[in-house]
Amino acid sequence: MTLLNSLPVDFYRLFEEHGLLLKVDKGSHIFQEGESAGDIFLIKNGSVQISKETESGKELTFRICRNNNIIGECTLFSPLTSHSTSAKAIVQTELLTISKDSLEMMLTQQPSLMIDYLRWLQNENLKNQSLLRDLILHGKKGALYSTLIRLSNTYGEAIDESKVFINYSLTNTDIANLCSTSREMINRMLNDLKKQKKISFDKGYITVLDLPFLKNEICCENCPASVCRID
């Protein structure tokens, strides 16, 4: 979700005025699974991968976030919890971070911001439910198709009604992690889509040539773009 589309300027001002600037090098972790979740982060510049490692050692990527996305699992007005995922900077990244205690105090003092936060949290829950539904119900092919749709909604540049250029470079391993499957299987499925002229790819960039085809194949429910996203 691009927060500029859903939260008012006051929420960003909160981070700008009270947040601590954190600079993270490419490849470094912002937080890791199991660590205490005492802060919430706003990405100022950069790109962050949110992922989880399964018991078998496979990595599952839940989100790829960029500027103005909020990350972190700071559960407000409840006991301190632990992160269930890890966040890693894909490029040199700058974040603004606010502690749980400080954010609770500021939201209590500004009820309108509390409502904004609850709206954001509700949308995040809907995004997570939608993602898990697609990964579980539609199989490996459906996971790939829904991932391409999400990438199109998040980083896509429309060429026409059916064609979308995904302006974000991804390796086949990156896509496999988003789909919770192997790189070899993703290679085969992407090549099949290319042969059917449903997608094209060049140097890590994918162009979806027939977006309605992907949606029809998974019986897409046409969720709002604020929900059907990868960020």
Side-chain angles (χ1 to χ4, degrees):
M1 176 182 57
T2 301
L3 294 178
L4 287 173
N5 293 333
S6 59
L7 291 183
V9 174
D10 285 348
F11 205 84
Y12 305 104
R13 189 175 296 127
L14 186 73
F15 277 86
E16 288 285 354
E17 293 179 355
H18 302 283
L20 176 68
L21 180 64
L22 178 66
K23 296 183 179 181
V24 183
D25 293 332
K26 176 181 177 181
S28 297
H29 280 91
I30 299 159
F31 54 79
Q32 290 185 277
E33 185 177 349
E35 291 181 348
S36 178
D39 300 284
I40 192 165
F41 305 85
L42 173 69
I43 301 173
K44 188 173 183 180
N45 290 295
S47 185
V48 176
Q49 172 185 296
I50 308 296
S51 61
K52 184 178 182 68
E53 189 171 302
T54 66
E55 292 183 0
S56 62
K58 183 183 296 183
E59 185 177 56
L60 171 59
T61 301
F62 288 106
R63 303 171 63 193
I64 299 175
C65 307
R66 293 203 292 187
N67 298 0
N68 301 314
N69 281 151
I70 286 179
I71 62 173
E73 298 174 65
C74 183
T75 307
L76 300 182
F77 307 105
S78 64
L80 204 62
T81 58
S82 300
H83 288 290
S84 62
T85 57
S86 298
K88 181 173 67 176
I90 301 174
V91 298
Q92 185 80 19
T93 298
E94 291 185 341
L95 307 104
L96 293 168
T97 175
I98 295 179
S99 70
K100 170 181 171 1
D101 292 341
S102 296
L103 189 57
E104 286 176 349
M105 181 183 67
M106 287 183 281
L107 291 180
T108 301
Q109 294 171 348
Q110 303 179 63
S112 62
L113 287 181
M114 174 74 79
I115 293 172
D116 292 332
Y117 179 80
L118 292 174
R119 285 173 177 164
W120 169 79
L121 191 61
Q122 182 180 38
N123 198 79
E124 288 298 293
N125 289 334
L126 290 173
K127 283 166 58 179
N128 291 334
Q129 290 173 18
S130 173
L131 173 64
L132 293 174
R133 177 199 66 201
D134 289 344
L135 289 176
I136 293 170
L137 295 183
H138 297 305
K140 301 304 181 184
K141 182 182 288 186
L144 172 60
Y145 290 8
S146 65
T147 296
L148 291 174
I149 294 168
R150 284 184 167 81
L151 288 167
S152 297
N153 289 339
T154 310
Y155 302 116
E157 297 176 359
I159 300 171
D160 58 33
E161 291 184 358
S162 299
K163 299 179 182 178
V164 179
F165 171 68
I166 299 173
N167 191 14
Y168 193 92
S169 178
L170 291 160
T171 66
N172 285 7
T173 298
D174 293 332
I175 299 172
N177 290 342
L178 286 166
C179 299
S180 187
T181 189
S182 67
R183 182 175 58 83
E184 292 75 18
M185 181 169 289
I186 288 297
N187 289 345
R188 290 196 297 270
M189 291 192 290
L190 287 175
N191 284 325
D192 286 343
L193 286 173
K194 185 178 180 180
K195 289 176 183 177
Q196 297 174 53
K197 300 188 185 303
K198 303 303 181 183
I199 67 168
S200 64
F201 41 85
D202 180 46
K203 298 178 180 178
Y205 290 91
I206 295 175
T207 299
V208 176
L209 303 176
D210 192 346
L211 189 59
F213 168 82
L214 299 180
K215 291 183 175 182
N216 289 335
E217 286 293 297
I218 62 169
C219 301
C220 179
E221 297 178 4
N222 291 311
C223 299
S226 61
V227 172
C228 187
R229 301 179 65 85
I230 209 71
D231 61 1

